[in-house]
Amino acid sequence: MNLALDTKEPAGGDGSPPRAARQGCLRVGGIIVLLPACGTDFLLLGAENDTGFLWLHLLSLLAGLTALLWPVRHRPAWLTPQLRAGVPALVAAADVGTLIATGRQGGFGPGQAAVLLSLLMVAVRTCTPGWALACGVLDGVVLLALPLPYFVVQWEDSALGVLALLLLLTGITAGLAAYLRTLDHRRTRAVTETRRAERLAMAADLHDFVAHHVTGILVQTQVARMLGTDRPERLDPVLAGIERAATEALASMRRTVGVLREHDDGTGTGAADRRPVGDLAGIDDLVRGFDGVGGVDGRTALLHHDPSVPRDLPHEVQAAAFRVVQESLTNVRRHAADATEVTVALRWAGDALEVSVRDDGRGGAVLPEAARGGGFGLVGLTERVTALGGRIQARGRTDGPGWEVVAVLPAATPGGG
């Protein structure tokens, strides 16, 4: 019951219908339990001889029910958890204090106890640390003080049993609320870490996409300078390639920055449409866009896509394959600018995807030193591939000059069944 009355908005909640329906059912359950219990208070207190302060009891119950049952979506900003947990408890304390001061019994019933237990749950679970302690102590003390009029006005042995039961329920409720607060904190921290990791991954993707395109722009600019003096009639296709690479780089940045901004807003609308392409279908475009590998001859890389490769491979496997090809082609531009042929192959080997990228360059890199990269690309690829239970090798070719990168990616990732 107590959980239903003050379940916080879940961190990163998407407002999906199943969750909203579950919250609605819990709230209805809380109403079904609390309202009859509060009604029972008036049946019990009304049967007593002196009923002069029932209105004060009614006021404290109304304050508690309002604080507990006010819908989250329509709750004003000023109705903070500390107000919701503290004000009804103060009204209940005023009720008990008035009864003691005037020498009258009453003020205790199952409804009032249920309301204060729920308020204790609200205080310990949702208030800020300082207020959680203050409001929790206030709710607990007022709850234990409910039977006091029966001790002060006229001693009743049954009140001791009620006091012991209230003490037990107070401890259980406070412990449960503290446990749930810990779970909430862990969940919030996990969501924060997940978002941070996702943002870092998207930033790394942005770096890789832009580095790939900018390296291509640099290579083709060098080709354009050569053609500008020797063969100007072949200059236009090279300039068109530079324009295309620059456009793709800007599009990659725009998509990734759009996703990052949506993460800042806490919404995911359209994120899938803006995220950079990273699957097997994207490899075809990546290879076709890799022009100018042979210097002035303008030859393009070749893609051999085995038809037996399944199209429904896990997304993380396809993304890893895409990154292997992307990083390998970027390294060809950086370190093997004299390559005349680059071959990309996707082959299905039983239960794993084999990705290979081979070139015939002899290491004649002509790029400036600052454009050759820091040498961490393969380290990142190794981390990504081994995390999926695969393996990757970068080595010199045994059948001739050049370099090859071969990665084997299992279709079933570790822990994925």
Side-chain angles (χ1 to χ4, degrees), residues 219-221 223-224 227 234-243 291 295:
V219 171
Q220 292 177 87
T221 301
V223 174
L227 293 179
R234 299 188 60 183
L235 189 59
D236 187 68
V238 177
L239 295 177
I242 294 175
E243 180 183 10
D291 49 12

Side-chain angles (χ1 to χ4, degrees), residues 3 61 105 211:
L3 298 180
L61 289 179
Q105 292 183 337

Side-chain angles (χ1 to χ4, degrees), residues 274-347:
R274 295 187 181 183
R275 186 155 191 175
V277 177
D279 53 17
L280 296 185
I283 292 178
D284 183 59
D285 296 333
L286 193 64
V287 174
R288 284 191 287 107
F290 187 80
D291 49 12
V293 297
V296 297
D297 60 1
R299 293 182 63 179
T300 59
L302 303 176
L303 173 63
H304 298 298
H305 193 149
D306 188 349
S308 64
V309 175
R311 296 185 179 181
D312 58 347
L313 289 173
H315 174 72
E316 58 270 19
V317 173
Q318 299 192 43
F322 182 90
R323 292 290 297 276
V324 168
V325 175
Q326 182 187 59
E327 181 66 26
S328 299
L329 293 181
T330 301
N331 285 338
V332 171
R333 281 176 170 160
R334 287 174 173 169
H335 307 296
D338 61 336
T340 60
E341 182 175 307
V342 178
T343 303
V344 179
L346 302 177
R347 190 172 67 89

Side-chain angles (χ1 to χ4, degrees), residues 180-191:
L180 292 175
R181 184 186 182 94
T182 302
L183 292 184
D184 292 338
H185 175 71
R186 291 178 180 175
R187 187 182 303 111
T188 301
R189 186 172 59 184
V191 170

Side-chain angles (χ1 to χ4, degrees), residues 306 308-310 313 346-355 391 406-411:
D306 188 349
S308 64
V309 175
L313 289 173
L346 302 177
R347 190 172 67 89
W348 184 244
D351 58 350
L353 174 65
E354 181 181 294
V355 183
R391 61 185 185 276
V406 180
V408 178
L409 303 166

Side-chain angles (χ1 to χ4, degrees), residues 4 19-30 32:
R19 178 171 295 182
R22 183 167 63 251
Q23 295 294 329
C25 291
L26 291 173
R27 184 171 296 277
V28 170
I32 292 175

